[in-house]
Amino acid sequence: MNIKARITGALLAGMLSATALQGAFAAEDTIKVGILHSLSGTMAISETTLKDAMLMLIDEQNKKGGILGKKIEAVVVDPASDWPLFAEKARDLIEKDKVTAVFGCWTSVSRKSVLPVFKELDNLLFYPVQYEGEESERNVFYTGAAPNQQAIPAVDYLAANEGVERWVLAGTDYVYPRTTNKILEAYLKAKGVAAEDIMVSYTPFGHKDWQTIVSDIKKFGSAGKKTAVVSTINGDANVPFYKELGNQGIKAEDIPVVAFSVGEEELAGLDTKPLVGHLAAWNYFQSVDTPANAEFIKTWKAYTKNEKRVTNDPMEAHYIGFNMWVKAVEAAGTTQPDKVIDSIVGVSVPNLSGGYSTMMPNHHITKPVLIGEIQSDGQFETVFETPGLVVGDEWSDYLPDSKELISDWRKPMSCGNFNVATGKCGGKGS
């Protein structure tokens, strides 16, 4: 029965008050989507803007008429940079709030915290941040970069264009930096880099005192070989890290830093002048010159009512993932997770770099790889871009337990770790 007939019937019967009718409409005619991002704690510096981006995307879709004839309703929670709390909040979103999909998480430890919940309750997670790979889950769509879409191209760029021979792998002490660095160590050694030319350093979340570590980096870089820092430092620890680089006079021409978790949002809180020339590897920069990006930036600034608000790579990943979800739901004619999982593989939507990104059978997407140089205004100048889109590789070719594994969630395989050597699902992984 359409809304007009329902209202007419209610008025004639005199049985529903205006308030009750409004409540019935809201419950029956909205599709709920969860937003699971830290709005407080060490990761708020990065994740708050992703919450805002999702609200904007939902608002824009509702202006187009919503989805399946219904408005989309955002349910926002704050897991507060507390990794176990992510799982608790995810469960609440699915069981209590009845969301049809969740867009969220930043750190890999938060993602791994929620994985059992999404598998148990058969819901969908769209994860928008670069990560370490070594994973492919049926209920997760990885719209950020895998290592072959960020870390390995960054190392190749530094070796080829900067002549780097010594490597500092500096990261926050959790799964993403450790696994990414494990892959990078194996990759560098396969390329002939000696073990003594690789320095690995880990610090806790929110680390503030960088004097000793930056001093060690400076010393490591004084051996007569070109040295670079590959940074997987996450969250607000980046602020004192970059400040200490400036304090100790480490310039990009001496020891360049290429970061995987520092974008426009993080630079907005820094004095960028001492950082000019340092690098970041992403799949999108605000400075990308395309009509789609110009429109996105315009919409973002209008939505936030703040001309100073910047865009960044994980925002674009949410843009892609959300639009893929909308398209898959429309194709399936339902938000039912199993149906959406079946319909989303092969879905292509515009990215902001001027092309289309596609959801692959391994639940990773195709992306261009960009290397950007920090400018004094906190933006990036692209100094390298892959000639085409790169398919995300969920299992690293450089780890012995992973190199034989592939993922394909299409029927009849429906497997996230199929071993091509044994022909069996359930390969080991790392």
Side-chain angles (χ1 to χ4, degrees), residues 67-398:
I67 187 169
L68 301 182
K70 299 182 179 182
K71 294 291 186 182
I72 304 170
E73 179 184 345
V75 183
V76 179
V77 294
D78 177 17
S81 307
D82 180 338
W83 318 132
L85 190 57
F86 269 84
E88 186 180 319
K89 293 289 187 182
R91 185 174 292 277
D92 286 347
L93 283 171
I94 299 166
E95 289 187 328
K96 295 180 181 178
D97 297 305
K98 308 299 183 185
V99 301
T100 57
V102 175
F103 293 79
C105 298
W106 180 293
T107 67
S108 285
V109 67
S110 67
R111 186 192 72 255
K112 287 188 177 292
S113 172
V114 305
L115 287 184
V117 176
F118 283 89
K119 288 164 73 173
E120 175 195 342
L121 302 178
D122 195 23
N123 205 278
L124 308 178
L125 173 67
F126 286 79
Y127 177 65
V129 186
Q130 86 289 342
Y131 86 120
E132 69 281 359
E134 306 308 293
E135 180 182 299
S136 180
E137 295 286 347
R138 179 177 176 274
N139 296 83
V140 181
F141 301 99
Y142 306 81
T143 56
N148 73 305
Q149 294 172 309
Q150 185 185 40
I152 288 173
V155 165
D156 286 343
Y157 173 83
L158 287 170
N161 294 277
E162 303 273 354
V164 173
E165 298 178 285
R166 300 201 97 194
W167 305 87
V168 178
L169 308 181
T172 302
D173 192 4
Y174 74 106
V175 62
Y176 162 62
R178 284 192 173 272
T179 305
T180 299
N181 287 341
K182 184 179 177 183
I183 292 168
L184 286 178
E185 274 195 88
Y187 180 71
L188 289 169
K189 288 174 180 177
K191 293 287 186 180
V193 177
E196 59 266 27
D197 286 328
I198 303 173
M199 169 185 164
V200 183
S201 171
Y202 295 105
T203 46
F205 278 101
H207 190 68
K208 292 180 172 60
D209 185 4
W210 288 92
Q211 191 170 349
T212 300
I213 293 171
V214 171
S215 179
D216 291 342
I217 290 170
K218 195 172 183 179
K219 183 179 178 182
F220 186 77
S222 65
K225 293 181 178 180
K226 182 68 175 182
T227 302
V229 177
V230 178
S231 171
T232 48
I233 299 164
N234 250 285
D236 56 9
N238 278 292
V239 176
F241 170 65
Y242 279 98
K243 282 183 178 176
E244 188 58 35
L245 289 176
N247 291 343
Q248 296 199 27
I250 295 178
K251 297 178 181 177
E253 56 264 35
D254 304 322
I255 303 177
V257 177
V258 61
F260 302 156
S261 296
V262 173
E264 292 85 347
E265 186 72 13
E266 289 76 19
L267 290 178
L270 294 171
D271 174 12
T272 55
K273 290 182 179 62
L275 308 183
V276 171
H278 286 300
L279 305 165
W282 290 103
N283 310 102
Y284 162 86
F285 292 116
Q286 180 175 316
S287 56
V288 167
D289 186 13
T290 65
N293 190 38
E295 183 63 28
F296 182 77
I297 294 167
K298 179 182 176 183
T299 303
W300 173 243
K301 291 181 184 296
Y303 178 80
T304 59
K305 297 180 175 62
N306 186 346
E307 282 295 314
K308 294 183 178 180
R309 288 293 292 272
V310 295
T311 61
N312 63 20
D313 179 284
M315 285 175 63
E316 191 218 21
H318 264 336
Y319 170 84
I320 293 169
F322 179 74
N323 288 328
M324 284 181 167
W325 174 76
V326 168
K327 200 168 179 179
V329 167
E330 289 174 341
T334 177
T335 58
Q336 205 278 325
D338 289 340
K339 301 291 186 183
V340 175
I341 289 170
D342 288 341
S343 68
I344 200 168
V345 171
V347 165
S348 292
V349 299
N351 57 38
L352 298 177
S353 300
Y356 279 75
S357 288
T358 303
M359 182 64 69
M360 303 302 286
N362 61 0
H363 285 187
H364 293 62
I365 69 172
T366 57
K367 301 168 81 78
V369 183
L370 310 178
I371 311 290
E373 197 173 87
I374 297 174
Q375 305 298 295
S376 59
D377 62 356
Q379 291 294 314
F380 291 90
E381 179 184 344
T382 300
V383 295
F384 169 81
E385 181 175 357
T386 51
L389 301 182
V390 179
V391 177
D393 186 4
E394 72 285 13
W395 299 105
S396 175
D397 296 336
Y398 303 99

